[in-house]
Tab-separated table of all heavy atoms in Angstrom:
chain	number	residue	atom	x	y	z
A	10	MET	N	1.770	6.944	-16.200
A	10	MET	CA	2.607	6.340	-17.204
A	10	MET	C	2.680	7.295	-18.396
A	10	MET	O	1.661	7.730	-18.921
A	10	MET	CB	2.014	4.995	-17.629
A	10	MET	CG	2.890	4.200	-18.528
A	10	MET	SD	2.211	2.562	-18.868
A	10	MET	CE	3.120	1.610	-17.698
A	11	LYS	N	3.909	7.589	-18.806
A	11	LYS	CA	4.100	8.523	-19.909
A	11	LYS	C	3.894	7.821	-21.241
A	11	LYS	O	4.019	6.601	-21.344
A	11	LYS	CB	5.503	9.110	-19.852
A	11	LYS	CG	5.731	10.004	-18.663
A	11	LYS	CD	7.076	10.658	-18.741
A	11	LYS	CE	7.283	11.594	-17.572
A	11	LYS	NZ	8.554	12.299	-17.672
A	12	LEU	N	3.604	8.618	-22.260
A	12	LEU	CA	3.350	8.079	-23.588
A	12	LEU	C	4.578	7.366	-24.144
A	12	LEU	O	4.459	6.326	-24.794
A	12	LEU	CB	2.904	9.194	-24.537
A	12	LEU	CG	2.378	8.771	-25.878
A	12	LEU	CD1	1.179	7.841	-25.720
A	12	LEU	CD2	2.000	9.972	-26.701
A	13	SER	N	5.766	7.884	-23.859
A	13	SER	CA	6.994	7.228	-24.340
A	13	SER	C	7.165	5.848	-23.708
A	13	SER	O	7.629	4.915	-24.359
A	13	SER	CB	8.210	8.100	-24.046
A	13	SER	OG	8.332	8.332	-22.659
A	14	GLU	N	6.754	5.708	-22.456
A	14	GLU	CA	6.822	4.410	-21.781
A	14	GLU	C	5.793	3.452	-22.359
A	14	GLU	O	6.055	2.255	-22.506
A	14	GLU	CB	6.581	4.575	-20.282
A	14	GLU	CG	7.622	5.381	-19.558
A	14	GLU	CD	7.235	5.703	-18.132
A	14	GLU	OE1	6.094	5.372	-17.729
A	14	GLU	OE2	8.056	6.300	-17.426
A	15	ILE	N	4.628	3.975	-22.687
A	15	ILE	CA	3.554	3.146	-23.236
A	15	ILE	C	3.949	2.595	-24.595
A	15	ILE	O	3.714	1.435	-24.910
A	15	ILE	CB	2.239	3.960	-23.324
A	15	ILE	CG1	1.738	4.306	-21.929
A	15	ILE	CG2	1.176	3.182	-24.084
A	15	ILE	CD1	0.560	5.255	-21.907
A	16	ARG	N	4.578	3.427	-25.414
A	16	ARG	CA	4.960	3.008	-26.763
A	16	ARG	C	6.002	1.893	-26.764
A	16	ARG	O	6.108	1.144	-27.720
A	16	ARG	CB	5.471	4.194	-27.566
A	16	ARG	CG	4.377	5.183	-27.895
A	16	ARG	CD	4.823	6.171	-28.935
A	16	ARG	NE	3.868	7.245	-29.120
A	16	ARG	CZ	2.788	7.163	-29.883
A	16	ARG	NH1	2.527	6.063	-30.517
A	16	ARG	NH2	1.971	8.190	-29.997
A	17	LYS	N	6.771	1.758	-25.690
A	17	LYS	CA	7.795	0.724	-25.596
A	17	LYS	C	7.225	-0.654	-25.258
A	17	LYS	O	7.898	-1.657	-25.424
A	17	LYS	CB	8.838	1.108	-24.542
A	17	LYS	CG	9.675	2.300	-24.933
A	17	LYS	CD	10.651	2.667	-23.848
A	17	LYS	CE	11.416	3.929	-24.207
A	17	LYS	NZ	12.310	4.344	-23.114
A	18	LEU	N	5.984	-0.699	-24.789
A	18	LEU	CA	5.370	-1.963	-24.381
A	18	LEU	C	4.933	-2.785	-25.591
A	18	LEU	O	4.605	-2.236	-26.643
A	18	LEU	CB	4.159	-1.696	-23.491
A	18	LEU	CG	4.419	-1.001	-22.162
A	18	LEU	CD1	3.097	-0.705	-21.472
A	18	LEU	CD2	5.303	-1.835	-21.263
A	19	SER	N	4.908	-4.097	-25.415
A	19	SER	CA	4.424	-4.978	-26.476
A	19	SER	C	2.894	-4.990	-26.457
A	19	SER	O	2.257	-4.484	-25.519
A	19	SER	CB	4.954	-6.390	-26.273
A	19	SER	OG	4.387	-6.959	-25.110
A	20	VAL	N	2.302	-5.595	-27.477
A	20	VAL	CA	0.839	-5.655	-27.579
A	20	VAL	C	0.250	-6.406	-26.386
A	20	VAL	O	-0.748	-5.990	-25.796
A	20	VAL	CB	0.418	-6.313	-28.912
A	20	VAL	CG1	-1.080	-6.524	-28.958
A	20	VAL	CG2	0.863	-5.448	-30.095
A	21	ALA	N	0.865	-7.522	-26.006
A	21	ALA	CA	0.362	-8.304	-24.869
A	21	ALA	C	0.440	-7.498	-23.572
A	21	ALA	O	-0.496	-7.531	-22.756
A	21	ALA	CB	1.148	-9.601	-24.737
A	22	ASP	N	1.542	-6.778	-23.390
A	22	ASP	CA	1.684	-5.951	-22.193
A	22	ASP	C	0.657	-4.823	-22.175
A	22	ASP	O	0.121	-4.480	-21.118
A	22	ASP	CB	3.094	-5.361	-22.113
A	22	ASP	CG	4.148	-6.421	-21.820
A	22	ASP	OD1	3.790	-7.478	-21.257
A	22	ASP	OD2	5.323	-6.181	-22.154
A	23	LEU	N	0.393	-4.257	-23.348
A	23	LEU	CA	-0.610	-3.198	-23.427
A	23	LEU	C	-1.988	-3.722	-23.034
A	23	LEU	O	-2.736	-3.056	-22.307
A	23	LEU	CB	-0.664	-2.616	-24.841
A	23	LEU	CG	0.477	-1.679	-25.221
A	23	LEU	CD1	0.429	-1.377	-26.706
A	23	LEU	CD2	0.431	-0.402	-24.425
A	24	GLN	N	-2.321	-4.911	-23.496
A	24	GLN	CA	-3.615	-5.497	-23.156
A	24	GLN	C	-3.721	-5.760	-21.659
A	24	GLN	O	-4.775	-5.553	-21.050
A	24	GLN	CB	-3.840	-6.772	-23.960
A	24	GLN	CG	-4.045	-6.514	-25.428
A	24	GLN	CD	-4.079	-7.766	-26.275
A	24	GLN	OE1	-3.624	-8.826	-25.842
A	24	GLN	NE2	-4.613	-7.657	-27.485
A	25	LYS	N	-2.624	-6.209	-21.050
A	25	LYS	CA	-2.624	-6.438	-19.603
A	25	LYS	C	-2.805	-5.128	-18.846
A	25	LYS	O	-3.529	-5.073	-17.843
A	25	LYS	CB	-1.317	-7.107	-19.173
A	25	LYS	CG	-1.200	-8.549	-19.591
A	25	LYS	CD	0.131	-9.135	-19.161
A	25	LYS	CE	0.325	-10.536	-19.726
A	25	LYS	NZ	1.663	-11.069	-19.419
A	26	GLU	N	-2.137	-4.077	-19.316
A	26	GLU	CA	-2.246	-2.774	-18.667
A	26	GLU	C	-3.670	-2.225	-18.779
A	26	GLU	O	-4.188	-1.650	-17.830
A	26	GLU	CB	-1.255	-1.779	-19.282
A	26	GLU	CG	0.163	-1.957	-18.814
A	26	GLU	CD	0.360	-1.625	-17.345
A	26	GLU	OE1	-0.277	-0.679	-16.836
A	26	GLU	OE2	1.159	-2.326	-16.706
A	27	VAL	N	-4.298	-2.394	-19.936
A	27	VAL	CA	-5.669	-1.930	-20.118
A	27	VAL	C	-6.592	-2.649	-19.136
A	27	VAL	O	-7.425	-2.022	-18.478
A	27	VAL	CB	-6.147	-2.137	-21.580
A	27	VAL	CG1	-7.643	-1.923	-21.689
A	27	VAL	CG2	-5.406	-1.202	-22.518
A	28	ALA	N	-6.429	-3.950	-19.020
A	28	ALA	CA	-7.267	-4.721	-18.093
A	28	ALA	C	-7.049	-4.270	-16.652
A	28	ALA	O	-8.015	-4.118	-15.883
A	28	ALA	CB	-6.975	-6.208	-18.241
A	29	ALA	N	-5.799	-4.018	-16.292
A	29	ALA	CA	-5.493	-3.578	-14.932
A	29	ALA	C	-6.090	-2.206	-14.649
A	29	ALA	O	-6.645	-1.957	-13.569
A	29	ALA	CB	-3.982	-3.549	-14.719
A	30	ARG	N	-5.989	-1.302	-15.616
A	30	ARG	CA	-6.537	0.048	-15.432
A	30	ARG	C	-8.060	0.026	-15.366
A	30	ARG	O	-8.659	0.786	-14.611
A	30	ARG	CB	-6.100	0.968	-16.558
A	30	ARG	CG	-4.625	1.176	-16.668
A	30	ARG	CD	-4.095	2.073	-15.583
A	30	ARG	NE	-2.698	2.372	-15.862
A	30	ARG	CZ	-1.715	2.166	-15.006
A	30	ARG	NH1	-1.974	1.705	-13.811
A	30	ARG	NH2	-0.478	2.446	-15.322
A	31	LYS	N	-8.693	-0.835	-16.136
A	31	LYS	CA	-10.152	-0.938	-16.082
A	31	LYS	C	-10.604	-1.458	-14.725
A	31	LYS	O	-11.611	-1.012	-14.178
A	31	LYS	CB	-10.677	-1.827	-17.210
A	31	LYS	CG	-10.664	-1.128	-18.558
A	31	LYS	CD	-11.301	-1.969	-19.622
A	31	LYS	CE	-11.350	-1.235	-20.955
A	31	LYS	NZ	-12.034	-1.999	-21.994
A	32	LYS	N	-9.853	-2.394	-14.180
A	32	LYS	CA	-10.171	-2.912	-12.849
A	32	LYS	C	-9.999	-1.813	-11.800
A	32	LYS	O	-10.837	-1.656	-10.913
A	32	LYS	CB	-9.267	-4.102	-12.527
A	32	LYS	CG	-9.570	-4.743	-11.206
A	32	LYS	CD	-8.712	-5.955	-10.955
A	32	LYS	CE	-9.062	-6.565	-9.613
A	32	LYS	NZ	-8.199	-7.688	-9.273
A	33	GLU	N	-8.924	-1.045	-11.937
A	33	GLU	CA	-8.682	0.066	-11.013
A	33	GLU	C	-9.802	1.101	-11.108
A	33	GLU	O	-10.273	1.619	-10.087
A	33	GLU	CB	-7.339	0.721	-11.354
A	33	GLU	CG	-6.981	1.884	-10.479
A	33	GLU	CD	-5.685	2.557	-10.870
A	33	GLU	OE1	-4.980	2.038	-11.758
A	33	GLU	OE2	-5.392	3.616	-10.291
A	34	LEU	N	-10.247	1.397	-12.329
A	34	LEU	CA	-11.334	2.362	-12.519
A	34	LEU	C	-12.620	1.868	-11.867
A	34	LEU	O	-13.343	2.647	-11.237
A	34	LEU	CB	-11.559	2.613	-14.011
A	34	LEU	CG	-12.647	3.603	-14.380
A	34	LEU	CD1	-12.348	4.985	-13.801
A	34	LEU	CD2	-12.808	3.677	-15.885
A	35	MET	N	-12.899	0.586	-11.991
A	35	MET	CA	-14.088	0.025	-11.366
A	35	MET	C	-14.016	0.195	-9.849
A	35	MET	O	-15.001	0.576	-9.201
A	35	MET	CB	-14.221	-1.458	-11.720
A	35	MET	CG	-15.455	-2.119	-11.150
A	35	MET	SD	-15.512	-3.885	-11.420
A	35	MET	CE	-14.133	-4.423	-10.408
A	36	GLU	N	-12.851	-0.073	-9.269
A	36	GLU	CA	-12.690	0.070	-7.824
A	36	GLU	C	-12.824	1.531	-7.389
A	36	GLU	O	-13.434	1.826	-6.356
A	36	GLU	CB	-11.341	-0.485	-7.401
A	36	GLU	CG	-11.251	-1.994	-7.545
A	36	GLU	CD	-9.856	-2.542	-7.334
A	36	GLU	OE1	-8.925	-1.750	-7.058
A	36	GLU	OE2	-9.682	-3.767	-7.451
A	37	LEU	N	-12.264	2.444	-8.189
A	37	LEU	CA	-12.378	3.867	-7.868
A	37	LEU	C	-13.830	4.329	-7.921
A	37	LEU	O	-14.287	5.087	-7.059
A	37	LEU	CB	-11.532	4.701	-8.840
A	37	LEU	CG	-10.029	4.613	-8.667
A	37	LEU	CD1	-9.322	5.306	-9.831
A	37	LEU	CD2	-9.582	5.207	-7.343
A	38	ARG	N	-14.567	3.872	-8.926
A	38	ARG	CA	-15.976	4.240	-9.030
A	38	ARG	C	-16.775	3.694	-7.864
A	38	ARG	O	-17.683	4.345	-7.346
A	38	ARG	CB	-16.559	3.731	-10.346
A	38	ARG	CG	-16.139	4.547	-11.531
A	38	ARG	CD	-16.754	4.007	-12.787
A	38	ARG	NE	-16.474	4.878	-13.920
A	38	ARG	CZ	-16.583	4.498	-15.171
A	38	ARG	NH1	-16.975	3.276	-15.476
A	38	ARG	NH2	-16.308	5.332	-16.150
A	39	PHE	N	-16.433	2.482	-7.427
A	39	PHE	CA	-17.122	1.895	-6.278
A	39	PHE	C	-16.837	2.721	-5.030
A	39	PHE	O	-17.756	3.020	-4.254
A	39	PHE	CB	-16.677	0.447	-6.084
A	39	PHE	CG	-17.314	-0.216	-4.897
A	39	PHE	CD1	-18.645	-0.566	-4.917
A	39	PHE	CD2	-16.578	-0.463	-3.750
A	39	PHE	CE1	-19.244	-1.165	-3.818
A	39	PHE	CE2	-17.162	-1.055	-2.646
A	39	PHE	CZ	-18.502	-1.407	-2.680
A	40	GLN	N	-15.585	3.097	-4.827
A	40	GLN	CA	-15.233	3.912	-3.666
A	40	GLN	C	-15.952	5.258	-3.707
A	40	GLN	O	-16.397	5.763	-2.678
A	40	GLN	CB	-13.722	4.141	-3.605
A	40	GLN	CG	-12.940	2.912	-3.220
A	40	GLN	CD	-11.444	3.154	-3.245
A	40	GLN	OE1	-10.988	4.237	-3.578
A	40	GLN	NE2	-10.673	2.128	-2.904
A	41	ALA	N	-16.048	5.832	-4.901
A	41	ALA	CA	-16.729	7.120	-5.036
A	41	ALA	C	-18.212	6.996	-4.705
A	41	ALA	O	-18.799	7.900	-4.107
A	41	ALA	CB	-16.542	7.666	-6.446
A	42	SER	N	-18.807	5.885	-5.095
A	42	SER	CA	-20.245	5.725	-4.865
A	42	SER	C	-20.581	5.569	-3.386
A	42	SER	O	-21.666	5.962	-2.954
A	42	SER	CB	-20.782	4.536	-5.654
A	42	SER	OG	-20.297	3.321	-5.120
A	43	ILE	N	-19.658	4.999	-2.616
A	43	ILE	CA	-19.932	4.846	-1.185
A	43	ILE	C	-19.295	5.962	-0.354
A	43	ILE	O	-19.382	5.952	0.863
A	43	ILE	CB	-19.490	3.461	-0.662
A	43	ILE	CG1	-18.011	3.215	-0.858
A	43	ILE	CG2	-20.298	2.372	-1.314
A	43	ILE	CD1	-17.500	1.928	-0.241
A	44	GLY	N	-18.654	6.911	-1.033
A	44	GLY	CA	-18.130	8.095	-0.351
A	44	GLY	C	-16.782	7.922	0.301
A	44	GLY	O	-16.429	8.692	1.188
A	45	GLN	N	-16.002	6.949	-0.095
A	45	GLN	CA	-14.693	6.733	0.522
A	45	GLN	C	-13.526	7.192	-0.350
A	45	GLN	O	-12.381	7.022	0.026
A	45	GLN	CB	-14.497	5.257	0.844
A	45	GLN	CG	-15.382	4.745	1.941
A	45	GLN	CD	-15.097	3.291	2.281
A	45	GLN	OE1	-14.444	2.598	1.522
A	45	GLN	NE2	-15.584	2.856	3.418
A	46	LEU	N	-13.800	7.775	-1.488
A	46	LEU	CA	-12.738	8.185	-2.402
A	46	LEU	C	-12.198	9.543	-1.973
A	46	LEU	O	-12.919	10.538	-1.931
A	46	LEU	CB	-13.269	8.250	-3.835
A	46	LEU	CG	-12.242	8.539	-4.911
A	46	LEU	CD1	-11.172	7.444	-4.942
A	46	LEU	CD2	-12.915	8.621	-6.265
A	47	ASP	N	-10.904	9.583	-1.630
A	47	ASP	CA	-10.285	10.825	-1.180
A	47	ASP	C	-9.804	11.670	-2.358
A	47	ASP	O	-9.892	12.888	-2.331
A	47	ASP	CB	-9.088	10.525	-0.265
A	47	ASP	CG	-9.525	9.862	1.031
A	47	ASP	OD1	-10.667	10.094	1.468
A	47	ASP	OD2	-8.719	9.116	1.604
A	48	LYS	N	-9.279	11.024	-3.382
A	48	LYS	CA	-8.699	11.739	-4.523
A	48	LYS	C	-9.602	11.570	-5.740
A	48	LYS	O	-9.451	10.645	-6.522
A	48	LYS	CB	-7.303	11.208	-4.813
A	48	LYS	CG	-6.354	11.359	-3.643
A	48	LYS	CD	-5.006	10.761	-3.936
A	48	LYS	CE	-4.102	10.888	-2.727
A	48	LYS	NZ	-2.814	10.254	-2.966
A	49	ASN	N	-10.532	12.493	-5.893
A	49	ASN	CA	-11.510	12.407	-6.965
A	49	ASN	C	-10.884	12.496	-8.347
A	49	ASN	O	-11.416	11.955	-9.309
A	49	ASN	CB	-12.560	13.503	-6.819
A	49	ASN	CG	-13.401	13.314	-5.589
A	49	ASN	OD1	-13.629	12.200	-5.160
A	49	ASN	ND2	-13.845	14.415	-5.006
A	50	HIS	N	-9.741	13.149	-8.453
A	50	HIS	CA	-9.086	13.300	-9.750
A	50	HIS	C	-8.552	11.985	-10.302
A	50	HIS	O	-8.295	11.866	-11.494
A	50	HIS	CB	-7.953	14.324	-9.648
A	50	HIS	CG	-6.815	13.856	-8.785
A	50	HIS	ND1	-6.851	13.931	-7.407
A	50	HIS	CD2	-5.641	13.294	-9.105
A	50	HIS	CE1	-5.726	13.433	-6.917
A	50	HIS	NE2	-4.968	13.038	-7.917
A	51	ARG	N	-8.404	10.985	-9.478
A	51	ARG	CA	-7.883	9.683	-9.936
A	51	ARG	C	-8.818	9.027	-10.944
A	51	ARG	O	-8.357	8.314	-11.833
A	51	ARG	CB	-7.665	8.739	-8.763
A	51	ARG	CG	-6.437	8.996	-7.961
A	51	ARG	CD	-5.154	8.799	-8.739
A	51	ARG	NE	-5.030	7.431	-9.226
A	51	ARG	CZ	-4.428	7.069	-10.357
A	51	ARG	NH1	-3.900	7.964	-11.138
A	51	ARG	NH2	-4.375	5.819	-10.721
A	52	VAL	N	-10.114	9.264	-10.842
A	52	VAL	CA	-11.071	8.687	-11.793
A	52	VAL	C	-10.776	9.232	-13.187
A	52	VAL	O	-10.655	8.478	-14.152
A	52	VAL	CB	-12.526	8.980	-11.383
A	52	VAL	CG1	-13.492	8.510	-12.443
A	52	VAL	CG2	-12.845	8.332	-10.042
A	53	ARG	N	-10.634	10.534	-13.309
A	53	ARG	CA	-10.361	11.167	-14.602
A	53	ARG	C	-8.993	10.732	-15.139
A	53	ARG	O	-8.852	10.430	-16.320
A	53	ARG	CB	-10.404	12.676	-14.468
A	53	ARG	CG	-10.148	13.375	-15.799
A	53	ARG	CD	-10.212	14.850	-15.671
A	53	ARG	NE	-11.587	15.248	-15.402
A	53	ARG	CZ	-11.954	16.483	-15.108
A	53	ARG	NH1	-11.058	17.439	-15.064
A	53	ARG	NH2	-13.211	16.767	-14.886
A	54	GLU	N	-7.987	10.689	-14.278
A	54	GLU	CA	-6.645	10.278	-14.705
A	54	GLU	C	-6.640	8.845	-15.220
A	54	GLU	O	-6.003	8.541	-16.224
A	54	GLU	CB	-5.655	10.407	-13.550
A	54	GLU	CG	-5.286	11.819	-13.208
A	54	GLU	CD	-4.355	11.891	-12.011
A	54	GLU	OE1	-4.010	10.836	-11.433
A	54	GLU	OE2	-3.981	13.011	-11.647
A	55	THR	N	-7.352	7.974	-14.539
A	55	THR	CA	-7.402	6.572	-14.939
A	55	THR	C	-8.103	6.418	-16.286
A	55	THR	O	-7.653	5.648	-17.136
A	55	THR	CB	-8.111	5.728	-13.861
A	55	THR	OG1	-7.463	5.944	-12.603
A	55	THR	CG2	-8.053	4.252	-14.192
A	56	LYS	N	-9.182	7.169	-16.497
A	56	LYS	CA	-9.877	7.124	-17.790
A	56	LYS	C	-8.948	7.568	-18.916
A	56	LYS	O	-8.931	6.974	-20.001
A	56	LYS	CB	-11.102	8.035	-17.770
A	56	LYS	CG	-12.266	7.507	-16.983
A	56	LYS	CD	-13.272	8.618	-16.845
A	56	LYS	CE	-14.653	8.167	-17.152
A	56	LYS	NZ	-15.631	9.252	-17.008
A	57	ARG	N	-8.169	8.604	-18.668
A	57	ARG	CA	-7.247	9.106	-19.684
A	57	ARG	C	-6.126	8.115	-19.962
A	57	ARG	O	-5.694	7.961	-21.105
A	57	ARG	CB	-6.670	10.453	-19.257
A	57	ARG	CG	-7.694	11.554	-19.349
A	57	ARG	CD	-7.114	12.878	-18.993
A	57	ARG	NE	-8.150	13.908	-19.137
A	57	ARG	CZ	-7.993	15.161	-18.765
A	57	ARG	NH1	-6.854	15.546	-18.226
A	57	ARG	NH2	-8.965	16.026	-18.926
A	58	GLU	N	-5.647	7.446	-18.920
A	58	GLU	CA	-4.609	6.424	-19.108
A	58	GLU	C	-5.140	5.277	-19.963
A	58	GLU	O	-4.434	4.769	-20.832
A	58	GLU	CB	-4.130	5.897	-17.759
A	58	GLU	CG	-3.273	6.875	-16.995
A	58	GLU	CD	-2.896	6.381	-15.613
A	58	GLU	OE1	-3.234	5.230	-15.257
A	58	GLU	OE2	-2.261	7.151	-14.880
A	59	ILE	N	-6.377	4.867	-19.712
A	59	ILE	CA	-6.983	3.800	-20.512
A	59	ILE	C	-7.074	4.235	-21.968
A	59	ILE	O	-6.752	3.475	-22.879
A	59	ILE	CB	-8.377	3.427	-19.955
A	59	ILE	CG1	-8.240	2.748	-18.593
A	59	ILE	CG2	-9.129	2.524	-20.923
A	59	ILE	CD1	-9.553	2.560	-17.850
A	60	ALA	N	-7.478	5.474	-22.195
A	60	ALA	CA	-7.598	5.982	-23.561
A	60	ALA	C	-6.235	6.004	-24.255
A	60	ALA	O	-6.119	5.619	-25.426
A	60	ALA	CB	-8.211	7.372	-23.543
A	61	ARG	N	-5.205	6.433	-23.546
A	61	ARG	CA	-3.853	6.442	-24.127
A	61	ARG	C	-3.398	5.031	-24.483
A	61	ARG	O	-2.842	4.796	-25.558
A	61	ARG	CB	-2.862	7.063	-23.147
A	61	ARG	CG	-2.947	8.544	-23.039
A	61	ARG	CD	-1.821	9.095	-22.172
A	61	ARG	NE	-2.100	10.464	-21.844
A	61	ARG	CZ	-2.440	10.893	-20.625
A	61	ARG	NH1	-2.507	10.053	-19.616
A	61	ARG	NH2	-2.686	12.158	-20.412
A	62	LEU	N	-3.619	4.102	-23.564
A	62	LEU	CA	-3.218	2.719	-23.806
A	62	LEU	C	-3.948	2.144	-25.014
A	62	LEU	O	-3.343	1.482	-25.866
A	62	LEU	CB	-3.486	1.862	-22.565
A	62	LEU	CG	-2.565	2.101	-21.376
A	62	LEU	CD1	-3.166	1.485	-20.126
A	62	LEU	CD2	-1.184	1.544	-21.631
A	63	LEU	N	-5.249	2.398	-25.103
A	63	LEU	CA	-6.026	1.868	-26.220
A	63	LEU	C	-5.610	2.502	-27.546
A	63	LEU	O	-5.600	1.834	-28.581
A	63	LEU	CB	-7.518	2.085	-25.973
A	63	LEU	CG	-8.133	1.210	-24.881
A	63	LEU	CD1	-9.571	1.628	-24.624
A	63	LEU	CD2	-8.064	-0.252	-25.253
A	64	THR	N	-5.236	3.780	-27.520
A	64	THR	CA	-4.788	4.451	-28.733
A	64	THR	C	-3.503	3.830	-29.249
A	64	THR	O	-3.379	3.521	-30.435
A	64	THR	CB	-4.582	5.953	-28.462
A	64	THR	OG1	-5.818	6.517	-28.028
A	64	THR	CG2	-4.090	6.664	-29.717
A	65	VAL	N	-2.545	3.618	-28.365
A	65	VAL	CA	-1.270	3.017	-28.770
A	65	VAL	C	-1.486	1.569	-29.211
A	65	VAL	O	-0.883	1.113	-30.181
A	65	VAL	CB	-0.237	3.113	-27.628
A	65	VAL	CG1	1.028	2.351	-27.966
A	65	VAL	CG2	0.088	4.567	-27.330
A	66	LEU	N	-2.362	0.870	-28.525
A	66	LEU	CA	-2.660	-0.512	-28.894
A	66	LEU	C	-3.243	-0.576	-30.303
A	66	LEU	O	-2.841	-1.424	-31.099
A	66	LEU	CB	-3.630	-1.124	-27.879
A	66	LEU	CG	-4.015	-2.583	-28.068
A	66	LEU	CD1	-2.790	-3.480	-27.943
A	66	LEU	CD2	-5.052	-2.988	-27.042
A	67	THR	N	-4.145	0.324	-30.619
A	67	THR	CA	-4.730	0.365	-31.966
A	67	THR	C	-3.668	0.691	-33.011
A	67	THR	O	-3.646	0.095	-34.088
A	67	THR	CB	-5.855	1.413	-32.026
A	67	THR	OG1	-6.824	1.088	-31.026
A	67	THR	CG2	-6.504	1.436	-33.383
A	68	GLU	N	-2.767	1.613	-32.693
A	68	GLU	CA	-1.689	1.974	-33.620
A	68	GLU	C	-0.794	0.761	-33.916
A	68	GLU	O	-0.388	0.547	-35.044
A	68	GLU	CB	-0.844	3.087	-33.045
A	68	GLU	CG	-1.508	4.438	-33.023
A	68	GLU	CD	-0.671	5.487	-32.319
A	68	GLU	OE1	0.422	5.165	-31.801
A	68	GLU	OE2	-1.121	6.635	-32.261
A	69	LYS	N	-0.485	0.011	-32.877
A	69	LYS	CA	0.419	-1.132	-33.042
A	69	LYS	C	-0.239	-2.282	-33.805
A	69	LYS	O	0.441	-3.052	-34.477
A	69	LYS	CB	0.914	-1.631	-31.694
A	69	LYS	CG	1.921	-0.712	-31.090
A	69	LYS	CD	2.623	-1.354	-29.927
A	69	LYS	CE	3.696	-0.407	-29.440
A	69	LYS	NZ	4.787	-1.110	-28.817
A	70	GLN	N	-1.551	-2.399	-33.704
A	70	GLN	CA	-2.239	-3.498	-34.370
A	70	GLN	C	-2.431	-3.232	-35.850
A	70	GLN	O	-2.694	-4.144	-36.610
A	70	GLN	CB	-3.596	-3.760	-33.700
A	70	GLN	CG	-3.446	-4.400	-32.357
A	70	GLN	CD	-4.768	-4.613	-31.660
A	70	GLN	OE1	-5.773	-4.023	-32.028
A	70	GLN	NE2	-4.764	-5.439	-30.630
A	71	LYS	N	-2.270	-2.001	-36.295
A	71	LYS	CA	-2.440	-1.681	-37.716
A	71	LYS	C	-1.188	-1.970	-38.498
A	71	LYS	O	-0.144	-2.163	-38.120
A	71	LYS	CB	-2.811	-0.219	-37.895
A	71	LYS	CG	-4.245	0.039	-37.499
A	71	LYS	CD	-4.628	1.454	-37.838
A	71	LYS	CE	-6.090	1.669	-37.519
A	71	LYS	NZ	-6.533	2.993	-37.844
């Protein structure tokens, strides 16, 4: 998800996206721990997406 797309979302949508990404990160970490994760870079990408979402969410709440 690009930053321009993230900025267009409402606060409620941003919160939903953060929750969804955190759930995805948990699943990716679980897959990595049992050795079934094929794309290791997805963990890092998901963490960065969460950070972007939280940054925009903080900006909008101010």
Side-chain angles (χ1 to χ4, degrees):
M10 188 174 262
K11 293 186 178 183
L12 190 58
S13 60
E14 296 171 355
I15 293 172
R16 291 193 189 277
K17 292 178 184 176
L18 297 175
S19 67
V20 173
D22 290 337
L23 284 170
Q24 291 172 342
K25 288 179 187 175
E26 282 293 323
V27 168
R30 298 286 188 234
K31 284 185 177 183
K32 183 177 180 184
E33 180 183 353
L34 181 60
M35 182 186 66
E36 291 171 1
L37 288 171
R38 284 181 174 162
F39 178 72
Q40 288 177 358
S42 70
I43 60 174
Q45 291 183 345
L46 185 61
D47 294 332
K48 301 177 182 177
N49 294 329
H50 67 279
R51 282 296 299 148
V52 174
R53 181 179 291 173
E54 287 177 359
T55 306
K56 286 169 133 180
R57 288 183 179 173
E58 287 175 4
I59 292 170
R61 285 187 193 110
L62 288 165
L63 289 174
T64 300
V65 173
L66 182 63
T67 303
E68 288 175 358
K69 286 193 176 208
Q70 288 178 343
K71 286 187 176 181

